[in-house]
Amino acid sequence: MSSNSIGSIWRRWEPHIHTPGTALNNQFGPTTVDQYCAAVEACSPKIEALGITDYYSVQNYEEIVQAKAKGLLSSIDFIFPNVELRLDVGTVKGSAINAHLLFCPDDADHIDQIKRLLSRLKFRYGGNEYVCSKDDLIRLGKAAKATQDSVAAYIEGVLQFKVDIHGLVDEIAKNDWARDNCLIAVAAAEGDGTSGLRTQDGSFAALRQAIESQAHLIFSGNQNDRIFWLGKGSASEDHLRDKYNGLKPCIHGCDAHDLSRVGVPDLDRFCWIKGDASFESLRQACIEPESRCYIGSSHPTGSLPNHTIQSVSVSNAPWMDPSQVPINGGLVAIIGARGSGKTALADLIASGGMAPVGIDNARSFVARAQDFLQASESSLTWVSGVTSTRDLQNAVWSEPDSPPEVQYLSQQFVDELCSSEGISDALVSEIKRVIFAAHPIDEREGADNFEELKEVRCQASQEGRSRCVTELESVAAALLSERSLKQGKEALTKRKEDIEKQIKKDEEDRKKLVRPGQEERVKRHEEIGEALRQRRQILEQKQKSARAIRGLIADIDDFEARRAPAYVDELKANRADANLTDNEWLLFLPKLDSNAKTSMITKAEALEREGFDILGKQVPDVTDENLNNPLLQKSDDLSKVTISILNAELNRLSRLVGIDTANSKAYKVLSDKIDAQKKQLENLAKEITRATQADQKIKDLLIRRKDAYRAVFDFISQLENELRKLYEPLANNLAGSQGALGKLSFVVRRRVNLSAWARRGEALLDLRKEGPFRGQGELLKVARSYLYDAWQKGASDEVGDALAKFMQEKADDVKAHKLDSMESKDWNTAISTWLHSTDHIQVDYGIEYDGVEVERLSPGTRGIVLLLLYLAIDRTDDRPLIIDQPEENLDPQSVFDELVPRFREARLRRQIIIVTHNANLVVNTDSDQVIIANAGSHTAGGLPTISYTSGGLEVEIIREAVCNILEGGKRAFEARAKRLRLT
């Protein structure tokens, strides 16, 4: 492993800094090179790359390189020449526009090459042509300003020499070395940059565009300039590519002309470039201006130190070379031929991060290599300095004691979640986990997972719907009863008339049993009989009341002893989250008035005494000798006489009015019969009254049923709203997203099982009869036309109106198919219950991709959804994410269009490690580190040696390996490009 094996990391660059002896505005005074170098090395943050700048010359650059060779600037890893030029275009501020040529110093003859290129630049003055060399600049200075001082003439020549941007570009294009080793930068400021060409009439717009389009980089520390050149301002990325030759990085330096300004840019606008301290990193920044270049007091931080792996090491692993591999904190791509050890490294990292690698994954490296992992441990060193270690022999086969420190999506895990058969629940479960994690902790209401949160949020609406369903069942039973009463009114009236006729006949027969001259006694007999009937009625009422009150007293005892405490216990169970004390729960203990029981006992006892008083003491039967002695006088108030006396007097009169003993008995039997029939008449009268009131009660019940049915859908709508709120945090994250992420939507929908509802209805119909619903399926068609849309999307009023219309317009059609095997009242009740049932309507929720439910997606599309889930949606999980071959089941275009942007964005907030064969996921994501796995030949009874080489894409050997492994080599890549007609 080399020193840059960690891959691309942020380093501070100082690309624009002058030195003592600079041609223009030299304010360094007597500063020596030693003092200058010391000032550079003392800078904080530390400078690792230095762009020595001078006008039209590399002389000062040569001096600094010589100083470094002598041991000065030991902390500076990279020094390159920055030649500052003046273009032949002036700004509104009166200054020429500054341009810079940044040169790669890698070639030994680069200084000669630079001088050769500069000498090709020409400037005409006074009929003479001058080239960009020290001698000609002195000549130009002397011609422009009469002086014999060579130093003054050189400064004047530098001031006067101007370069045409197109001539400069042409000279670079004609020079093979310059074309490969020179980058053009132009200043963006108003004073000496292209912004100075901005005028009200826009007459310099084309010139400005021509200059900026030729630049590879823009010198500016202004954040607005950076936003513009990244295509996020007034110009889009497409516009920049079309008019300006692409996006451009903004770099910035201190532009020091005196010692106090060395390494001190205004407002701490330090220049940070991600990559090695090499010219290749600057080239890479031109390709990746946003992710590779940044201006600010500190560089972007990315993942958190406690959640960023710095290295992985394996003990007792002679087969692994080296046994410790550094890991970049951004996006890490592990590549290699098949069987080279890519997945092995991913498994080892995941194992050290406590992920369940061996469990349910017999294909994992740690599972297959168990025999060779004796006493081996995988250790992760985190950026925070903490180390986590795990035994590879046994620990990976059991669930870790603590949650995994990494999130590992093994190839088998991805295959299972994206499988087309039977694994959709796993993907949906992951989606729910992410949805739950998107809710702030203080909004989770104590829930530990999505299902618990859903239960809490949706409990009220579910309970409300359940109450409405119970109400519908209660109304159905009451309607059956009231309709039965209504239908029975005619029979009740007929029965009443029959009893009245029978009473009349019996009274006539009883009169025939009376001897002539007993009319007065018969009349008295009837009076006593009527009084006895009324007193018995009063006694029965008081006995019923007393019995009911005694039952009420028992209810009070039961309520206080059992039901009230049970009610509180139920509240405790259902509302445990209230966290009340025992004393506070006692506040909910239902209590009756303290006098209730005493008052009821007193009332019951009073009724029982009154009943005893009405009944009276037992009166012995009247003897024959006393038969003519009345027990009551005509003046007595019969309504106050006891039942016992009335009964005795009635028996006496019955014996007197009879002809003989036989007649006397018959008279009594008829009298008792007549009394019983009159009692029946009283009861019938009450029932007829109830039957007469049934119409109004039925109307009231129908309104109750209508309201309860509609209320079901109010609670369904309430449930839908609660479920939408559950998805709200993620819905907000997805709002306005482009590409595949924009196709994701979280939906709440009603599942209407119309077929099940229709089948229940058909079971109540005789489909063999001629009629609109003859044959199976006709009812389903009508239901779909009348009810389906309302059930699926309608509010309560719409649903109620749709059902009412169906019942009104199709009632006769339904009756035409009545089952003859059922009683009419039973059939009507069953039909009504079926029509108002709602159990075929359920509220469902889930995720859709481009309008298709995730459960119905192809494995490839599910793969996209899964990776979007972890890369773009799950923003709360900041653990390192390890994915083994995320491109499985995906076509290259989907990888490029959908995954590449997500990987680039996700690595800014969490560390990502991928094992891949896909060039897009390595090159176009601009991986921060590429780890190349290579396995040697197998040895008998052992593992092959697995070696790992790593670095950033700015390293040439890494790029070559990427091209060879992922593209088949340079020749294969070029051959394909030719065949595809690509230049």
Side-chain angles (χ1 to χ4, degrees), residues 637-702:
D637 185 353
L638 298 182
S639 64
K640 297 180 180 179
V641 178
T642 67
I643 289 175
S644 296
I645 293 176
L646 288 172
N647 196 45
E649 179 64 10
L650 191 65
N651 289 336
R652 185 186 73 81
L653 290 173
S654 297
R655 290 167 61 188
L656 282 175
V657 298
I659 298 175
D660 50 30
T661 302
N663 281 350
S664 178
K665 290 181 178 179
Y667 189 92
K668 185 176 185 310
V669 169
L670 280 175
S671 295
D672 290 343
K673 181 181 177 184
I674 291 169
D675 287 343
Q677 288 173 336
K678 288 182 177 181
K679 180 66 177 177
Q680 284 182 303
L681 283 179
E682 290 178 3
N683 293 334
L684 282 172
K686 293 178 181 178
E687 290 187 37
I688 290 171
T689 300
R690 284 186 58 201
T692 302
Q693 297 170 344
D695 280 333
Q696 185 59 46
K697 288 186 177 181
I698 288 172
K699 289 179 182 178
D700 294 341
L701 287 169
L702 289 175

Side-chain angles (χ1 to χ4, degrees), residues 83 96 183 271 376 416 444 446 580 612 625 674 702 755 786 803 810 869 871:
V83 176
L183 295 174
C271 180
S376 293
E416 288 179 352
R444 295 179 185 176
L580 303 182
F612 288 133
E625 293 81 10
I674 291 169
L702 289 175
S755 298
Y786 275 77
L803 182 64
K810 297 299 175 181
L869 188 70
L871 296 174

Side-chain angles (χ1 to χ4, degrees), residues 866-883:
L866 175 67
L867 292 170
L868 289 177
L869 188 70
Y870 290 107
L871 296 174
I873 301 176
D874 190 1
R875 296 179 177 271
T876 59
D877 195 340
D878 49 13
R879 297 173 298 165
L881 174 63
I882 307 169
I883 313 176

Side-chain angles (χ1 to χ4, degrees), residues 314-320 339-351 356-374 376-378 392-393 396-397 408 410-412 884 915 935 938 942-946 948:
V314 181
S315 63
N316 193 27
W319 43 268
M320 182 174 172
S340 60
K342 304 184 299 298
T343 296
L345 184 58
D347 276 2
L348 293 170
I349 297 172
S351 298
V357 178
I359 299 174
D360 299 328
N361 188 1
R363 292 184 294 174
S364 68
F365 168 78
V366 294
R368 292 181 289 115
Q370 276 290 290
D371 293 341
F372 309 103
L373 298 177
Q374 300 291 336
S376 293
E377 292 180 333
S378 175
L392 292 176
Q393 180 65 25
V396 295
W397 291 97
Y408 185 31
S410 66
Q411 190 175 359
Q412 185 177 24
D884 190 355
V915 176
H938 283 265
L943 292 172
T945 299
I946 303 175
Y948 296 103

Side-chain angles (χ1 to χ4, degrees), residues 723-927:
L723 289 173
R724 288 189 187 97
K725 289 179 183 178
L726 284 175
Y727 289 104
E728 210 166 62
L730 281 180
N732 292 338
N733 286 344
L734 292 177
S737 299
Q738 302 297 319
L741 197 59
K743 297 178 183 178
L744 280 176
S745 61
F746 296 96
V747 294
V748 177
R749 61 215 165 197
R750 294 180 200 172
R751 296 281 192 185
V752 180
N753 194 340
L754 193 65
S755 298
W757 185 84
R759 285 195 300 271
R760 284 182 58 194
E762 287 181 339
L764 298 172
L765 304 178
D766 188 344
L767 303 181
R768 298 169 300 178
K769 291 183 177 179
E770 288 293 335
F773 298 134
R774 180 181 174 86
Q776 289 186 343
E778 294 304 316
L779 177 60
L780 178 63
K781 293 178 184 177
V782 174
R784 187 175 300 280
S785 172
Y786 275 77
L787 300 168
Y788 185 72
D789 287 344
W791 276 339
Q792 190 171 52
K793 300 177 182 177
S796 58
D797 289 343
E798 295 173 90
V799 177
D801 292 345
L803 182 64
K805 181 179 180 182
F806 177 84
M807 293 172 63
Q808 179 180 355
E809 296 183 5
K810 297 299 175 181
D812 292 339
D813 294 349
V814 172
K815 290 177 182 178
H817 294 273
K818 178 187 175 300
L819 281 177
D820 295 332
S821 59
M822 291 183 69
E823 293 288 339
S824 292
K825 65 176 183 178
D826 295 336
W827 183 79
N828 286 330
T829 299
I831 289 291
S832 177
T833 301
W834 160 65
L835 285 171
H836 291 87
S837 63
T838 59
D839 53 351
H840 61 290
I841 303 171
Q842 300 299 325
V843 177
D844 195 5
Y845 51 90
I847 186 171
E848 290 184 352
Y849 180 82
D850 205 15
V852 180
E853 297 168 17
V854 69
E855 297 88 341
R856 299 182 181 178
L857 295 173
S858 67
T861 309
R862 270 191 215 166
I864 292 177
V865 173
L866 175 67
L867 292 170
L868 289 177
L869 188 70
Y870 290 107
L871 296 174
I873 301 176
D874 190 1
R875 296 179 177 271
T876 59
D877 195 340
D878 49 13
R879 297 173 298 165
L881 174 63
I882 307 169
I883 313 176
D884 190 355
Q885 299 183 47
E887 72 273 16
E888 285 294 297
N889 299 316
L890 302 182
D891 60 277
Q893 184 174 357
S894 295
V895 172
F896 180 78
D897 291 343
E898 311 298 355
L899 296 188
V900 166
R902 305 308 165 193
F903 274 109
R904 293 174 68 98
E905 186 275 337
R907 69 166 170 202
L908 301 178
R909 55 185 172 80
R910 71 188 300 188
Q911 187 178 38
I912 300 177
I913 303 168
I914 59 173
V915 176
T916 182
H917 294 285
N918 190 288
N920 279 320
L921 293 181
V922 179
V923 179
N924 288 314
T925 59
D926 189 29
S927 296

